Amino acid sequence: MHTFTHGDAPSRIWHDRADALLVDGRLDGRALIDGQRVAAASGETLACHSPVDGRLLTHVARGAAADVDAAVRSARRAFDAGSWARQAPADRKRVLQRFADLMLQNKDELALLETLDMGKPIQYSLSVDVALAARCINWYGEAIDKVYDEIAPTPHTALALIQREPVGVVGAIVPWNYPMLMAAWKLGPALACGNSVVLKPSEKSPLSALRLAELALQAGLPEGVFNVVPGLGHEAGEALALHMDVDALGFTGSTRVGRKMLEYAGRSNLKRVFNELGGKSAFVVFDDVDSIERAADTVAGALFFNQGESCNAPSRLLVHASIADEVVARIVAQAPHYQPADPLDPATVMGALVDEGQLRTVLGYIAAGHAEGAQCVSGGVQARVDSGGYYVQPTVFDGVRNDMRIAQEEIFGPVLSVIRFKDEAEAVRLANDSAYGLQASVWTQHLDRAHRVARALKVGTVHVNQYDEDDITVPFGGVKQSGNGRDKSLHALDKYTDMKTTWIRINGA
Ligand code: NAD
């Protein structure tokens, strides 16, 4: 096994914490069903290795149909008992806020689990993943006792109440790139509305979800309301998506698996499916941009963040031909800043890819870029080979055509494809020439152009002259093959509630 080489003092602190967390097999990889930590019914486990250095972290329950069924039955029992679903919203609020507080009190441990499990830099696990996941849970708790139902403007001989009811049992299947945050985007609104949840984390990053469920119990969430069944996608995931007693499915993941979710619903009980899928977002820089430097720095920062493993990474840079050389030179000059380094060092900005498979996928796309005739002007190779982990240099391809694979397919790694355009019409055509429609960014000083292009782009979110703004108050999601649901904001409540109308006759009115 590879041993850590402890660097300077701040990184040593996190290495020591990691060693303490892992000592004597302390990490419990069992499922959490009906308020109890339990092994898979089969007794089988999956080895959980860290992409930071390849070390074995623990063994995690290999959940399958029997475990999913036990979790769904527990969730249904809890829902029918009403111990959560029929609590006053103000009481649910207090529990969710305690849950969020406990997440923050345990932020170092949660951040460490995230970094060890999927390789992102510890500073971002703390400042982004834990902080935003806790804010999400807190925000939905805070919101839920301020949401009112409706009375329709009917004739006065009757009263029509339009009320939201929790759907019942929600299945949540989430990916590995922001394991805790994607789980929180489902849990916050689903729990706030009174549902029970069965969460299936990615087999590549199950650890933080299991710890979250323990903290939720500690906060006072009744047993059975939040269950976690780790396991493989085609085993635990498929069983959850096919289950006849799951009412709604919140899925975040690839477009390939999102398609299956719709099939599973069709083959089972027509459960409603909300898909949050992949992206190939265009970052469009016009020649009237106010600051080439800021545009270049922003695209580099957003694309290389999280090792490029973000659904909304601006992985296609569309830039006006007259300023393209300058923009590309500025991005390439940033490359040293984004060199991968030890994820447990608080100064690191680029960490490890999630596993060897993802490393092979990214290197395969880099090879495809070369083969299709694009010019690699920065990076393009594996990094930190002796670490035992999986790292790739920040990579920039210039001279990309929009029909190349590196322009059309989601790479999910630190690879930027630069495409030049001549005018606004071509920019819009290229931006929309994608199966995906998650996000886009437009850089221009012209107000008319900003609005015109923002309207013309077929995406869920457009950023103008920035890419970083994000808040729990705004919806997140895409169109086309990027999916249909919206996480975050009060709009997410629609996914986890059924709308019921009650007509009441008023005699003598
Ligand atoms: P993935 O689709 O491979 O896996 C996602 C989840 O689905 C995992 O828990 C996995 O175990 C499960 N799964 C896999 N096969 C399954 C099957 N046959 N039946 C049931 N469940 C199955 O995605 P990933 O590689 O974990 O995550 C990366 C993808 O997630 C990217 O495409 C990214 O763009 C997308 N993503 C989207 C958003 C968004 O909000 N739109 C956010 C984050 C990530």
Short mmCIF file of all heavy atoms in Angstrom, two decimals, residues 172-178 182 185-186 200-205 231-241 249 251-258 260-261 264 275-280 309-313 354 358 410 412 436 438 476-478 482-483 485 487, ligand 1:
data_model
loop_
_atom_site.label_atom_id
_atom_site.label_comp_id
_atom_site.label_asym_id
_atom_site.label_seq_id
_atom_site.Cartn_x
_atom_site.Cartn_y
_atom_site.Cartn_z
N ALA A 172 -33.90 8.55 -4.05
CA ALA A 172 -32.91 9.53 -4.52
C ALA A 172 -31.66 8.77 -4.94
O ALA A 172 -31.12 7.98 -4.17
CB ALA A 172 -32.59 10.53 -3.41
N ILE A 173 -31.24 8.99 -6.18
CA ILE A 173 -30.04 8.32 -6.70
C ILE A 173 -29.09 9.41 -7.15
O ILE A 173 -29.45 10.25 -7.98
CB ILE A 173 -30.40 7.37 -7.87
CG1 ILE A 173 -31.40 6.31 -7.38
CG2 ILE A 173 -29.15 6.71 -8.44
CD1 ILE A 173 -31.84 5.32 -8.46
N VAL A 174 -27.89 9.44 -6.58
CA VAL A 174 -27.01 10.60 -6.80
C VAL A 174 -25.62 10.16 -7.26
O VAL A 174 -25.22 9.02 -7.06
CB VAL A 174 -26.92 11.49 -5.53
CG1 VAL A 174 -28.29 12.08 -5.20
CG2 VAL A 174 -26.38 10.72 -4.34
N PRO A 175 -24.89 11.11 -7.86
CA PRO A 175 -23.56 10.81 -8.42
C PRO A 175 -22.43 11.08 -7.42
O PRO A 175 -22.69 11.43 -6.27
CB PRO A 175 -23.48 11.78 -9.60
CG PRO A 175 -24.20 13.00 -9.09
CD PRO A 175 -25.29 12.49 -8.19
N TRP A 176 -21.21 10.98 -7.92
CA TRP A 176 -20.05 11.07 -7.03
C TRP A 176 -19.35 12.42 -7.10
O TRP A 176 -18.38 12.63 -6.37
CB TRP A 176 -19.03 9.97 -7.39
CG TRP A 176 -18.76 9.88 -8.87
CD1 TRP A 176 -19.33 8.98 -9.74
CD2 TRP A 176 -17.91 10.72 -9.67
NE1 TRP A 176 -18.89 9.22 -11.02
CE2 TRP A 176 -18.01 10.28 -11.01
CE3 TRP A 176 -17.07 11.79 -9.38
CZ2 TRP A 176 -17.31 10.88 -12.05
CZ3 TRP A 176 -16.37 12.40 -10.41
CH2 TRP A 176 -16.49 11.94 -11.74
N ASN A 177 -19.75 13.32 -7.96
CA ASN A 177 -18.92 14.53 -8.13
C ASN A 177 -19.12 15.54 -7.00
O ASN A 177 -18.18 16.24 -6.62
CB ASN A 177 -19.12 15.16 -9.51
CG ASN A 177 -20.53 15.58 -9.78
OD1 ASN A 177 -21.47 15.06 -9.17
ND2 ASN A 177 -20.70 16.52 -10.68
N TYR A 178 -20.34 15.63 -6.48
CA TYR A 178 -20.61 16.41 -5.25
C TYR A 178 -21.51 15.52 -4.40
O TYR A 178 -22.73 15.78 -4.30
CB TYR A 178 -21.32 17.72 -5.58
CG TYR A 178 -20.52 18.67 -6.45
CD1 TYR A 178 -20.63 18.65 -7.82
CD2 TYR A 178 -19.65 19.59 -5.86
CE1 TYR A 178 -19.88 19.51 -8.62
CE2 TYR A 178 -18.91 20.47 -6.64
CZ TYR A 178 -19.02 20.41 -8.02
OH TYR A 178 -18.28 21.27 -8.80
N MET A 182 -25.29 16.91 -3.75
CA MET A 182 -26.38 16.41 -4.60
C MET A 182 -27.41 15.68 -3.74
O MET A 182 -28.62 15.76 -4.01
CB MET A 182 -25.83 15.46 -5.68
CG MET A 182 -24.91 16.12 -6.69
SD MET A 182 -25.66 17.51 -7.57
CE MET A 182 -24.91 18.89 -6.74
N TRP A 185 -29.52 18.36 -2.08
CA TRP A 185 -30.50 18.99 -2.99
C TRP A 185 -31.78 18.15 -3.10
O TRP A 185 -32.84 18.68 -3.42
CB TRP A 185 -29.89 19.18 -4.38
CG TRP A 185 -28.89 20.30 -4.47
CD1 TRP A 185 -28.43 21.07 -3.46
CD2 TRP A 185 -28.25 20.76 -5.67
NE1 TRP A 185 -27.53 22.00 -3.96
CE2 TRP A 185 -27.40 21.84 -5.30
CE3 TRP A 185 -28.30 20.38 -7.01
CZ2 TRP A 185 -26.61 22.52 -6.23
CZ3 TRP A 185 -27.51 21.06 -7.94
CH2 TRP A 185 -26.68 22.13 -7.55
N LYS A 186 -31.68 16.84 -2.88
CA LYS A 186 -32.89 15.99 -2.87
C LYS A 186 -33.50 15.98 -1.46
O LYS A 186 -34.71 16.13 -1.29
CB LYS A 186 -32.57 14.54 -3.26
CG LYS A 186 -31.69 14.34 -4.46
CD LYS A 186 -32.34 14.79 -5.75
CE LYS A 186 -31.42 14.53 -6.94
NZ LYS A 186 -31.65 15.46 -8.05
N LYS A 200 -29.68 6.33 -2.56
CA LYS A 200 -28.66 5.41 -3.09
C LYS A 200 -27.50 6.29 -3.55
O LYS A 200 -27.54 6.88 -4.63
CB LYS A 200 -29.24 4.61 -4.26
CG LYS A 200 -28.64 3.24 -4.47
CD LYS A 200 -27.18 3.20 -4.79
CE LYS A 200 -26.89 3.51 -6.24
NZ LYS A 200 -25.42 3.55 -6.50
N PRO A 201 -26.41 6.37 -2.73
CA PRO A 201 -25.26 7.15 -3.18
C PRO A 201 -24.48 6.39 -4.25
O PRO A 201 -24.70 5.19 -4.45
CB PRO A 201 -24.43 7.28 -1.90
CG PRO A 201 -24.79 6.09 -1.07
CD PRO A 201 -26.21 5.72 -1.43
N SER A 202 -23.58 7.09 -4.90
CA SER A 202 -22.74 6.42 -5.90
C SER A 202 -21.82 5.41 -5.22
O SER A 202 -21.32 5.66 -4.12
CB SER A 202 -21.89 7.46 -6.65
OG SER A 202 -20.92 6.79 -7.43
N GLU A 203 -21.59 4.30 -5.89
CA GLU A 203 -20.66 3.30 -5.35
C GLU A 203 -19.25 3.87 -5.25
O GLU A 203 -18.40 3.33 -4.54
CB GLU A 203 -20.66 2.03 -6.23
CG GLU A 203 -20.34 2.24 -7.70
CD GLU A 203 -21.56 2.63 -8.53
OE1 GLU A 203 -22.47 3.29 -8.00
OE2 GLU A 203 -21.59 2.26 -9.72
N LYS A 204 -19.00 5.00 -5.95
CA LYS A 204 -17.66 5.60 -5.90
C LYS A 204 -17.51 6.56 -4.72
O LYS A 204 -16.41 7.04 -4.47
CB LYS A 204 -17.38 6.34 -7.21
CG LYS A 204 -17.43 5.43 -8.42
CD LYS A 204 -17.19 6.18 -9.70
CE LYS A 204 -17.37 5.24 -10.89
NZ LYS A 204 -17.07 5.88 -12.15
N SER A 205 -18.59 6.90 -4.05
CA SER A 205 -18.51 7.93 -2.99
C SER A 205 -19.63 7.77 -1.96
O SER A 205 -20.40 8.69 -1.75
CB SER A 205 -18.62 9.31 -3.62
OG SER A 205 -19.87 9.42 -4.29
N GLY A 231 -24.48 0.75 -2.82
CA GLY A 231 -24.40 -0.41 -3.71
C GLY A 231 -24.20 0.03 -5.14
O GLY A 231 -24.08 1.23 -5.43
N LEU A 232 -24.19 -0.95 -6.02
CA LEU A 232 -23.93 -0.67 -7.43
C LEU A 232 -25.19 -0.14 -8.12
O LEU A 232 -26.31 -0.44 -7.71
CB LEU A 232 -23.45 -1.94 -8.14
CG LEU A 232 -22.14 -2.52 -7.60
CD1 LEU A 232 -21.85 -3.88 -8.23
CD2 LEU A 232 -20.98 -1.55 -7.84
N GLY A 233 -24.97 0.61 -9.20
CA GLY A 233 -26.10 1.18 -9.92
C GLY A 233 -27.06 0.13 -10.44
O GLY A 233 -28.28 0.23 -10.25
N HIS A 234 -26.52 -0.90 -11.11
CA HIS A 234 -27.42 -1.88 -11.73
C HIS A 234 -27.98 -2.88 -10.72
O HIS A 234 -28.76 -3.76 -11.10
CB HIS A 234 -26.71 -2.59 -12.89
CG HIS A 234 -25.56 -3.45 -12.45
ND1 HIS A 234 -24.32 -2.95 -12.21
CD2 HIS A 234 -25.49 -4.77 -12.17
CE1 HIS A 234 -23.51 -3.92 -11.83
NE2 HIS A 234 -24.20 -5.04 -11.79
N GLU A 235 -27.58 -2.73 -9.47
CA GLU A 235 -28.16 -3.60 -8.42
C GLU A 235 -29.06 -2.75 -7.51
O GLU A 235 -30.27 -2.70 -7.70
CB GLU A 235 -27.03 -4.29 -7.64
CG GLU A 235 -26.24 -5.26 -8.52
CD GLU A 235 -25.09 -5.96 -7.82
OE1 GLU A 235 -24.81 -5.67 -6.62
OE2 GLU A 235 -24.45 -6.80 -8.47
N ALA A 236 -28.44 -2.04 -6.55
CA ALA A 236 -29.27 -1.24 -5.63
C ALA A 236 -30.02 -0.13 -6.36
O ALA A 236 -31.21 0.12 -6.10
CB ALA A 236 -28.38 -0.63 -4.54
N GLY A 237 -29.35 0.55 -7.31
CA GLY A 237 -29.99 1.66 -8.02
C GLY A 237 -31.18 1.19 -8.82
O GLY A 237 -32.28 1.77 -8.76
N GLU A 238 -30.96 0.13 -9.58
CA GLU A 238 -32.06 -0.40 -10.42
C GLU A 238 -33.22 -0.87 -9.55
O GLU A 238 -34.39 -0.63 -9.87
CB GLU A 238 -31.52 -1.53 -11.30
CG GLU A 238 -32.57 -2.10 -12.22
CD GLU A 238 -32.00 -3.11 -13.20
OE1 GLU A 238 -30.95 -2.83 -13.81
OE2 GLU A 238 -32.64 -4.17 -13.37
N ALA A 239 -32.90 -1.53 -8.44
CA ALA A 239 -33.98 -2.04 -7.58
C ALA A 239 -34.81 -0.88 -7.02
O ALA A 239 -36.04 -0.98 -6.92
CB ALA A 239 -33.37 -2.86 -6.43
N LEU A 240 -34.14 0.21 -6.69
CA LEU A 240 -34.87 1.36 -6.14
C LEU A 240 -35.75 2.00 -7.23
O LEU A 240 -36.92 2.33 -7.00
CB LEU A 240 -33.87 2.38 -5.59
CG LEU A 240 -34.43 3.62 -4.88
CD1 LEU A 240 -35.32 3.23 -3.71
CD2 LEU A 240 -33.28 4.52 -4.39
N ALA A 241 -35.17 2.14 -8.42
CA ALA A 241 -35.92 2.79 -9.50
C ALA A 241 -37.09 1.94 -9.99
O ALA A 241 -38.07 2.46 -10.51
CB ALA A 241 -34.97 3.11 -10.65
N LEU A 249 -38.88 9.71 -7.98
CA LEU A 249 -37.46 9.41 -8.08
C LEU A 249 -36.72 10.69 -8.44
O LEU A 249 -36.97 11.28 -9.50
CB LEU A 249 -37.27 8.36 -9.17
CG LEU A 249 -35.96 7.61 -9.23
CD1 LEU A 249 -35.75 6.79 -7.98
CD2 LEU A 249 -36.00 6.68 -10.45
N PHE A 251 -33.28 11.83 -9.58
CA PHE A 251 -32.02 11.27 -10.09
C PHE A 251 -31.09 12.38 -10.52
O PHE A 251 -31.49 13.28 -11.27
CB PHE A 251 -32.30 10.34 -11.28
CG PHE A 251 -31.03 9.82 -11.94
CD1 PHE A 251 -30.26 8.85 -11.30
CD2 PHE A 251 -30.59 10.32 -13.15
CE1 PHE A 251 -29.08 8.38 -11.87
CE2 PHE A 251 -29.41 9.85 -13.73
CZ PHE A 251 -28.65 8.89 -13.09
N THR A 252 -29.83 12.31 -10.09
CA THR A 252 -28.78 13.14 -10.67
C THR A 252 -27.68 12.21 -11.14
O THR A 252 -27.21 11.36 -10.37
CB THR A 252 -28.20 14.14 -9.65
OG1 THR A 252 -29.26 14.99 -9.20
CG2 THR A 252 -27.13 15.01 -10.29
N GLY A 253 -27.29 12.36 -12.39
CA GLY A 253 -26.26 11.50 -12.94
C GLY A 253 -26.16 11.70 -14.44
O GLY A 253 -26.54 12.75 -14.97
N SER A 254 -25.66 10.68 -15.11
CA SER A 254 -25.40 10.80 -16.54
C SER A 254 -26.69 10.71 -17.36
O SER A 254 -27.69 10.14 -16.91
CB SER A 254 -24.45 9.69 -16.98
OG SER A 254 -25.07 8.44 -16.75
N THR A 255 -26.63 11.23 -18.55
CA THR A 255 -27.76 11.14 -19.46
C THR A 255 -28.04 9.68 -19.82
O THR A 255 -29.20 9.26 -19.93
CB THR A 255 -27.48 12.00 -20.71
OG1 THR A 255 -27.38 13.37 -20.28
CG2 THR A 255 -28.58 11.87 -21.75
N ARG A 256 -26.97 8.88 -19.94
CA ARG A 256 -27.14 7.46 -20.26
C ARG A 256 -28.01 6.76 -19.21
O ARG A 256 -28.96 6.05 -19.54
CB ARG A 256 -25.75 6.79 -20.31
CG ARG A 256 -25.74 5.33 -20.68
CD ARG A 256 -24.33 4.76 -20.60
NE ARG A 256 -23.81 4.71 -19.25
CZ ARG A 256 -24.10 3.77 -18.34
NH1 ARG A 256 -24.92 2.78 -18.66
NH2 ARG A 256 -23.59 3.82 -17.14
N VAL A 257 -27.73 7.01 -17.94
CA VAL A 257 -28.51 6.35 -16.88
C VAL A 257 -29.87 7.04 -16.69
O VAL A 257 -30.86 6.39 -16.37
CB VAL A 257 -27.70 6.28 -15.57
CG1 VAL A 257 -28.53 5.64 -14.46
CG2 VAL A 257 -26.42 5.47 -15.78
N GLY A 258 -29.92 8.35 -16.94
CA GLY A 258 -31.20 9.07 -16.87
C GLY A 258 -32.25 8.45 -17.80
O GLY A 258 -33.44 8.35 -17.47
N LYS A 260 -32.43 5.35 -18.56
CA LYS A 260 -32.91 4.12 -17.92
C LYS A 260 -33.94 4.43 -16.85
O LYS A 260 -34.87 3.65 -16.63
CB LYS A 260 -31.73 3.37 -17.27
CG LYS A 260 -30.73 2.86 -18.26
CD LYS A 260 -29.77 1.92 -17.57
CE LYS A 260 -28.73 1.46 -18.58
NZ LYS A 260 -28.07 0.25 -18.23
N MET A 261 -33.77 5.55 -16.17
CA MET A 261 -34.72 5.91 -15.11
C MET A 261 -36.15 6.00 -15.68
O MET A 261 -37.11 5.55 -15.06
CB MET A 261 -34.35 7.24 -14.45
CG MET A 261 -33.05 7.20 -13.70
SD MET A 261 -33.13 6.04 -12.31
CE MET A 261 -31.43 5.51 -12.24
N TYR A 264 -37.33 2.51 -16.30
CA TYR A 264 -37.70 1.81 -15.05
C TYR A 264 -39.08 2.26 -14.59
O TYR A 264 -39.89 1.45 -14.13
CB TYR A 264 -36.69 2.12 -13.94
CG TYR A 264 -35.28 1.60 -14.17
CD1 TYR A 264 -34.18 2.33 -13.75
CD2 TYR A 264 -35.05 0.37 -14.78
CE1 TYR A 264 -32.88 1.87 -13.94
CE2 TYR A 264 -33.76 -0.09 -14.97
CZ TYR A 264 -32.68 0.66 -14.55
OH TYR A 264 -31.41 0.20 -14.74
N ASN A 275 -35.02 14.08 -13.66
CA ASN A 275 -33.66 13.81 -14.11
C ASN A 275 -32.83 15.09 -14.12
O ASN A 275 -33.22 16.08 -14.74
CB ASN A 275 -33.69 13.26 -15.54
CG ASN A 275 -33.84 11.75 -15.60
OD1 ASN A 275 -33.43 11.05 -14.68
ND2 ASN A 275 -34.41 11.25 -16.68
N GLU A 276 -31.70 15.05 -13.44
CA GLU A 276 -30.71 16.15 -13.52
C GLU A 276 -29.48 15.51 -14.14
O GLU A 276 -28.76 14.78 -13.48
CB GLU A 276 -30.37 16.68 -12.13
CG GLU A 276 -31.56 17.01 -11.25
CD GLU A 276 -32.23 18.32 -11.60
OE1 GLU A 276 -31.64 19.08 -12.40
OE2 GLU A 276 -33.32 18.58 -11.10
N LEU A 277 -29.20 15.83 -15.42
CA LEU A 277 -28.22 15.02 -16.16
C LEU A 277 -27.00 15.83 -16.59
O LEU A 277 -26.68 16.85 -16.02
CB LEU A 277 -28.94 14.38 -17.36
CG LEU A 277 -30.25 13.66 -16.99
CD1 LEU A 277 -30.95 13.13 -18.22
CD2 LEU A 277 -30.01 12.55 -15.97
N GLY A 278 -26.34 15.35 -17.61
CA GLY A 278 -25.04 15.90 -17.99
C GLY A 278 -25.12 17.23 -18.71
O GLY A 278 -26.19 17.79 -18.93
N GLY A 279 -23.94 17.74 -19.08
CA GLY A 279 -23.88 19.03 -19.76
C GLY A 279 -22.63 19.18 -20.60
O GLY A 279 -21.69 18.38 -20.50
N LYS A 280 -22.66 20.15 -21.48
CA LYS A 280 -21.49 20.51 -22.28
C LYS A 280 -21.61 22.01 -22.50
O LYS A 280 -21.83 22.51 -23.61
CB LYS A 280 -21.51 19.74 -23.62
CG LYS A 280 -20.19 19.78 -24.36
CD LYS A 280 -19.15 18.86 -23.76
CE LYS A 280 -17.78 19.14 -24.31
NZ LYS A 280 -16.73 18.32 -23.68
N GLU A 309 -14.94 17.91 -13.02
CA GLU A 309 -16.03 16.95 -12.81
C GLU A 309 -17.28 17.68 -12.29
O GLU A 309 -17.76 17.39 -11.20
CB GLU A 309 -15.59 15.87 -11.83
CG GLU A 309 -14.40 15.04 -12.32
CD GLU A 309 -13.73 14.25 -11.20
OE1 GLU A 309 -13.70 14.71 -10.05
OE2 GLU A 309 -13.22 13.15 -11.50
N SER A 310 -17.75 18.63 -13.07
CA SER A 310 -18.98 19.35 -12.72
C SER A 310 -19.92 19.27 -13.92
O SER A 310 -19.48 19.47 -15.06
CB SER A 310 -18.70 20.83 -12.42
OG SER A 310 -17.84 20.96 -11.32
N CYS A 311 -21.20 19.03 -13.63
CA CYS A 311 -22.16 18.93 -14.73
C CYS A 311 -22.22 20.24 -15.51
O CYS A 311 -22.42 20.24 -16.71
CB CYS A 311 -23.53 18.57 -14.20
SG CYS A 311 -24.06 19.69 -12.89
N ASN A 312 -22.04 21.36 -14.80
CA ASN A 312 -22.16 22.67 -15.46
C ASN A 312 -20.80 23.26 -15.82
O ASN A 312 -20.69 24.46 -16.08
CB ASN A 312 -22.93 23.64 -14.57
CG ASN A 312 -22.25 23.87 -13.23
OD1 ASN A 312 -21.44 23.07 -12.81
ND2 ASN A 312 -22.57 24.98 -12.59
N ALA A 313 -19.75 22.44 -15.85
CA ALA A 313 -18.43 22.95 -16.24
C ALA A 313 -18.52 23.59 -17.62
O ALA A 313 -19.10 23.00 -18.54
CB ALA A 313 -17.43 21.80 -16.26
N VAL A 354 -11.95 10.78 -9.82
CA VAL A 354 -12.60 9.91 -8.83
C VAL A 354 -12.05 8.49 -8.79
O VAL A 354 -12.01 7.87 -7.74
CB VAL A 354 -14.13 9.89 -9.03
CG1 VAL A 354 -14.51 9.13 -10.29
CG2 VAL A 354 -14.82 9.32 -7.82
N GLN A 358 -12.26 6.74 -14.45
CA GLN A 358 -12.45 8.12 -14.91
C GLN A 358 -11.15 8.66 -15.51
O GLN A 358 -11.17 9.39 -16.50
CB GLN A 358 -12.93 8.99 -13.74
CG GLN A 358 -13.40 10.37 -14.13
CD GLN A 358 -14.64 10.32 -15.03
OE1 GLN A 358 -15.30 9.30 -15.13
NE2 GLN A 358 -14.91 11.42 -15.71
N GLU A 410 -19.61 14.78 -23.05
CA GLU A 410 -19.22 15.24 -21.72
C GLU A 410 -17.98 14.45 -21.27
O GLU A 410 -18.03 13.24 -21.12
CB GLU A 410 -20.37 15.01 -20.74
CG GLU A 410 -20.13 15.62 -19.39
CD GLU A 410 -21.27 15.35 -18.41
OE1 GLU A 410 -21.78 14.22 -18.39
OE2 GLU A 410 -21.64 16.27 -17.67
N PHE A 412 -16.05 15.21 -18.44
CA PHE A 412 -16.04 15.12 -16.98
C PHE A 412 -14.61 15.02 -16.46
O PHE A 412 -14.27 14.16 -15.64
CB PHE A 412 -16.89 13.95 -16.49
CG PHE A 412 -17.89 14.39 -15.46
CD1 PHE A 412 -18.73 15.44 -15.71
CD2 PHE A 412 -17.96 13.75 -14.22
CE1 PHE A 412 -19.65 15.87 -14.75
CE2 PHE A 412 -18.87 14.17 -13.26
CZ PHE A 412 -19.70 15.23 -13.54
N TYR A 436 -26.99 18.62 -25.17
CA TYR A 436 -27.22 19.08 -23.80
C TYR A 436 -27.77 20.50 -23.77
O TYR A 436 -27.67 21.24 -24.75
CB TYR A 436 -25.91 19.04 -23.01
CG TYR A 436 -25.33 17.65 -22.86
CD1 TYR A 436 -24.18 17.27 -23.55
CD2 TYR A 436 -25.94 16.72 -22.04
CE1 TYR A 436 -23.64 16.00 -23.41
CE2 TYR A 436 -25.41 15.45 -21.88
CZ TYR A 436 -24.27 15.09 -22.57
OH TYR A 436 -23.75 13.83 -22.43
N LEU A 438 -27.67 22.56 -20.33
CA LEU A 438 -27.67 22.84 -18.89
C LEU A 438 -27.43 24.33 -18.63
O LEU A 438 -28.30 25.02 -18.10
CB LEU A 438 -26.61 21.97 -18.21
CG LEU A 438 -26.68 21.91 -16.69
CD1 LEU A 438 -28.06 21.50 -16.20
CD2 LEU A 438 -25.63 20.93 -16.14
N PHE A 476 -31.89 25.07 -10.34
CA PHE A 476 -30.74 24.53 -11.05
C PHE A 476 -31.23 23.32 -11.84
O PHE A 476 -31.78 22.38 -11.27
CB PHE A 476 -29.67 24.09 -10.05
CG PHE A 476 -28.37 23.65 -10.66
CD1 PHE A 476 -27.26 24.47 -10.63
CD2 PHE A 476 -28.26 22.40 -11.27
CE1 PHE A 476 -26.05 24.06 -11.19
CE2 PHE A 476 -27.06 21.99 -11.83
CZ PHE A 476 -25.95 22.82 -11.78
N GLY A 477 -31.01 23.33 -13.15
CA GLY A 477 -31.40 22.19 -13.96
C GLY A 477 -31.36 22.57 -15.42
O GLY A 477 -31.10 23.73 -15.76
N GLY A 478 -31.61 21.60 -16.29
CA GLY A 478 -31.42 21.85 -17.71
C GLY A 478 -32.61 21.51 -18.56
O GLY A 478 -33.68 21.12 -18.08
N SER A 482 -30.12 17.38 -20.92
CA SER A 482 -29.60 17.67 -19.58
C SER A 482 -30.65 17.42 -18.51
O SER A 482 -30.38 17.59 -17.32
CB SER A 482 -29.11 19.12 -19.49
OG SER A 482 -27.93 19.28 -20.24
N GLY A 483 -31.85 17.04 -18.92
CA GLY A 483 -32.84 16.63 -17.93
C GLY A 483 -34.06 17.52 -17.89
O GLY A 483 -34.26 18.38 -18.74
N GLY A 485 -35.86 18.09 -14.34
CA GLY A 485 -36.22 18.59 -13.02
C GLY A 485 -35.49 19.87 -12.70
O GLY A 485 -34.63 20.33 -13.43
N ASP A 487 -33.54 21.32 -9.28
CA ASP A 487 -33.16 21.27 -7.88
C ASP A 487 -33.09 22.70 -7.37
O ASP A 487 -33.00 23.65 -8.14
CB ASP A 487 -31.78 20.61 -7.73
CG ASP A 487 -31.85 19.09 -7.80
OD1 ASP A 487 -32.85 18.52 -7.33
OD2 ASP A 487 -30.91 18.47 -8.34
P1 NAD B 1 -23.98 7.85 -13.35
O1 NAD B 1 -25.17 8.10 -14.18
O2 NAD B 1 -23.01 6.83 -13.80
O3 NAD B 1 -24.39 7.41 -11.87
C1 NAD B 1 -25.26 8.19 -11.09
C2 NAD B 1 -25.94 7.31 -10.06
O4 NAD B 1 -26.76 6.37 -10.76
C3 NAD B 1 -24.98 6.49 -9.20
O5 NAD B 1 -25.49 6.40 -7.89
C4 NAD B 1 -25.01 5.13 -9.87
O6 NAD B 1 -24.71 4.07 -9.01
C5 NAD B 1 -26.45 5.06 -10.33
N1 NAD B 1 -26.67 4.14 -11.45
C6 NAD B 1 -25.80 3.79 -12.43
N2 NAD B 1 -26.37 2.90 -13.26
C7 NAD B 1 -27.62 2.67 -12.79
C8 NAD B 1 -28.69 1.84 -13.21
N3 NAD B 1 -28.60 1.05 -14.28
N4 NAD B 1 -29.84 1.89 -12.50
C9 NAD B 1 -29.97 2.68 -11.41
N5 NAD B 1 -28.97 3.47 -10.95
C10 NAD B 1 -27.82 3.46 -11.64
O7 NAD B 1 -23.30 9.28 -13.15
P2 NAD B 1 -21.96 9.59 -12.38
O8 NAD B 1 -20.81 9.17 -13.22
O9 NAD B 1 -22.06 9.12 -10.98
O10 NAD B 1 -22.03 11.21 -12.30
C11 NAD B 1 -21.64 12.03 -13.30
C12 NAD B 1 -22.82 12.52 -14.11
O11 NAD B 1 -23.72 13.24 -13.26
C13 NAD B 1 -22.40 13.51 -15.17
O12 NAD B 1 -23.06 13.19 -16.37
C14 NAD B 1 -22.86 14.85 -14.62
O13 NAD B 1 -23.08 15.82 -15.60
C15 NAD B 1 -24.10 14.46 -13.90
N6 NAD B 1 -24.48 15.49 -12.93
C16 NAD B 1 -25.56 16.29 -13.19
C17 NAD B 1 -25.93 17.29 -12.29
C18 NAD B 1 -27.13 18.18 -12.55
O14 NAD B 1 -27.62 18.81 -11.61
N7 NAD B 1 -27.62 18.28 -13.78
C19 NAD B 1 -25.20 17.48 -11.11
C20 NAD B 1 -24.09 16.64 -10.88
C21 NAD B 1 -23.76 15.64 -11.79
#
